[in-house]
Amino acid sequence: MAAEEASRSSPRSRREPKGRASRQDKYSVLLPTYNERENLPFIVWLLVKSFSESGFNYEIIIIDDGSPDGTRDIAEQLEKIYGSDRILLRPREKKLGLGTAYIHGMKHATGNYIIIMDADLSHHPKFIPEFIRKQKEGNFDIVSGTRYRGNGGVYGWDLKRKIISRVANFITQILLRPGASDLTGSFRLYRKEVLQKLIGKCISKGYVFQMEMIVRARQLNYTIGEVPISFVDRVYGESKLGGNEIVSFLKGLLTLFATT
Amino acid sequence: MTKLAQWLWGLALLGSAWAALTLGALGLELPLSCREVLWPLPAYLLVSAGCYALGTVGYRVATFHDCEDAARELQSQIQEARADLTRRGLRF
């Protein structure tokens, strides 16, 4: 059956998609950007490469929040290069929250699966085919990339950052028992309707928003699969993890602890 | 039930069981050796939990995987992408 599909399909997809994704499956990648002029060309190039090589159907939705550094210009050039069926520009006037960026992006998404990730090259698109395979394998509602299991890991963190990360994760696991090893990660695959439902229920911001999504997902009995990923942090040197962020993380964690 | 509620219930249950046994409220006369262990049990458990936490976090920090290959691969792919995109007409 696979051979017939391959011969009937367009010359572009010479290989059958692994994981037996059906012909109707389409993956919409949401890329909220703010001042990502430097990284945007590369993340898009890597996404296109990854999807072309694996044969899955996709679109990339770039949600730029009025970046002053010319991100929008680069996005428009990329749209010309790759086509407006693959690159969708859906910008906003000013910097608003991540949750609303996802909502905005999903309004225009024609895929039945949504992939969220960072646009700063810390998440590598090569893991997306693995997410898709994992999702098919277990028929999961959500697949989450984890830095803490298997051969997942991080590049560019010093000892202090690693300690903070592990301590935070440990406390989170003890308090919330979430059934996922990496709660603050933002490299995930969702069924579209699952993401829509969850965003409607979440109220936190920042790191805690990503945590709340997983916690709410468990409450609603959605299934979560995990794929180890490598996280290449090229920004950490410039943006230290400040006391403010730690405090707001703890406040958010305790709120989730007390309310879910 | 929220996680907080679960914890409070769990602590209340264990706490009252411990109090009942150590204060002899249930009218049970446990042998002295049992009571000697039971009395400081919460303190023991707290210290053990602390050691477990320290050990676990320490182990996880020590074995935190450093993805050198990923960083190198990314760098070389960026070069490749730059060349390809320039060819396709992108003005950086």
Side-chain angles (χ1 to χ4, degrees), chain A:
Chain A
M1 185 173 76
E4 285 170 354
E5 266 188 53
S7 59
R8 263 204 308 258
S9 60
S10 70
R12 196 173 37 163
S13 50
R14 285 181 297 274
R15 287 160 46 175
E16 60 158 342
K18 293 179 189 138
R20 295 187 307 278
S22 77
R23 299 210 130 228
Q24 290 95 330
D25 284 334
K26 186 172 182 184
Y27 298 87
S28 302
V29 180
L30 300 185
L31 276 186
T33 61
Y34 190 72
N35 285 346
E36 291 291 359
R37 188 205 171 84
E38 304 282 310
N39 295 323
L40 191 58
F42 305 122
I43 188 77
V44 168
W45 189 86
L46 288 169
L47 280 164
V48 171
K49 175 181 158 85
S50 179
F51 276 108
S52 312
E53 283 175 1
S54 57
F56 297 118
N57 192 11
Y58 72 103
E59 63 185 358
I60 302 169
I61 303 175
I62 302 175
I63 305 138
D64 185 50
D65 281 357
S67 299
D69 71 343
T71 303
R72 180 139 176 210
D73 170 60
I74 290 280
E76 284 169 1
Q77 289 190 57
L78 288 165
E79 184 190 24
K80 281 202 193 60
I81 292 174
Y82 289 113
S84 51
D85 58 331
R86 291 300 190 200
I87 312 282
L88 277 62
L89 265 50
R90 299 291 179 266
R92 303 192 295 180
E93 294 297 304
K94 59 181 185 142
K95 198 171 198 298
L96 300 165
L98 199 59
T100 51
Y102 292 155
I103 295 173
H104 183 76
M106 273 196 291
K107 278 208 266 282
H108 306 285
T110 57
N112 51 337
Y113 290 96
I114 308 280
I115 293 163
I116 63 162
M117 61 189 298
D118 291 349
D120 61 2
L121 295 172
S122 52
H123 294 146
H124 197 302
K126 70 178 176 186
F127 292 107
I128 293 179
E130 291 184 38
F131 281 27
I132 295 174
R133 270 191 289 275
K134 184 78 186 182
Q135 192 279 324
K136 291 296 166 193
E137 190 183 289
N139 199 25
F140 294 110
D141 298 307
I142 303 172
V143 176
S144 177
T146 174
R147 294 160 292 180
Y148 301 133
R149 279 248 188 93
N151 61 353
V154 180
Y155 176 82
W157 280 4
D158 58 6
L159 187 65
K160 176 177 165 206
R161 183 68 181 86
K162 286 184 187 176
I163 292 175
I164 294 176
S165 179
R166 284 299 198 180
V167 169
N169 187 254
F170 182 80
I171 299 174
T172 306
Q173 295 292 326
I174 297 276
L175 290 183
L176 299 181
R177 299 195 313 275
S181 62
D182 190 345
L183 253 71
T184 53
S186 51
F187 192 6
R188 298 185 186 149
L189 167 71
Y190 292 86
R191 279 192 219 275
K192 187 175 177 185
E193 59 276 15
V194 170
L195 184 59
Q196 278 166 330
K197 186 105 184 260
L198 289 176
I199 292 210
K201 291 189 153 271
C202 290
I203 54 170
S204 342
K205 308 251 177 288
Y207 288 125
V208 188
F209 170 66
Q210 302 293 354
M211 280 168 49
E212 194 184 351
M213 297 270 264
I214 295 283
V215 170
R216 300 273 173 222
R218 296 284 286 170
Q219 274 184 326
L220 294 167
N221 285 321
Y222 288 132
T223 53
I224 303 173
E226 294 197 305
V227 167
I229 57 160
S230 48
F231 181 92
V232 177
D233 196 339
R234 303 150 83 219
V235 177
Y236 173 53
E238 300 136 39
S239 66
K240 302 279 175 199
L241 193 68
N244 269 338
E245 279 154 311
I246 295 183
V247 166
S248 62
F249 168 80
L250 287 173
K251 284 209 315 225
L253 177 59
L254 290 174
T255 309
L256 284 177
F257 178 60
T259 58
T260 62

